[in-house]
Amino acid sequence: MAFRAKSMLAGGGVGIINGLLGGGGGMVAVPALCGAGLPVASAHATAIAVVLPASLASAFVYLLYGLLPLAVFVPVCVGTVLGGFFGANVLDRVPQKALGIAFAALMLAAGLKMVIS
């Protein structure tokens, strides 16, 4: 029971971050899942699965507040779906260490971009 409560609290934190940062919940979920003992590829796959409902909820709220420009959303959504399909299909062929390094580099680059911009 304690594990379920901790998992729900962690999920709530990921959801809040996802809603505030527009998808940044995965950057918190992946390290948390790796810390819980999941292999890197499984952590990425699980993070995508758990961030999806949070992203849908956030997108609904953004749409209600008029913050979701549909002219941008539709083409980006198509590209994201195609890219996600491709990435998920090659995930098991990427070495775990390379995946971890690529994820860390992406997080670092994103953080630097936000500080510099």
Side-chain angles (χ1 to χ4, degrees):
M1 187 64 167
F3 177 75
R4 182 173 281 171
K6 287 179 183 177
S7 297
M8 288 181 70
L9 284 172
V14 168
I16 289 168
I17 291 168
N18 195 70
L20 288 171
L21 304 179
M27 290 199 168
V28 173
V30 171
L33 292 166
C34 286
L38 280 179
V40 176
S42 294
H44 283 274
T46 304
I48 291 296
V50 300
V51 168
L52 175 63
S55 295
L56 291 173
S58 298
F60 178 72
V61 173
Y62 296 154
L63 183 62
L64 284 178
Y65 285 103
L67 298 171
L68 183 64
L70 294 178
V72 174
F73 168 74
V74 173
V76 171
C77 186
V78 170
T80 301
V81 168
L82 294 173
F85 183 78
F86 173 77
N89 279 303
V90 300
L91 179 64
D92 63 342
R93 291 181 232 139
V94 177
Q96 297 284 309
K97 185 154 183 100
L99 190 60
I101 291 169
F103 185 72
L106 177 64
M107 286 179 44
L108 180 61
L112 288 172
K113 173 75 171 140
M114 295 198 69
V115 170
I116 293 169
S117 295

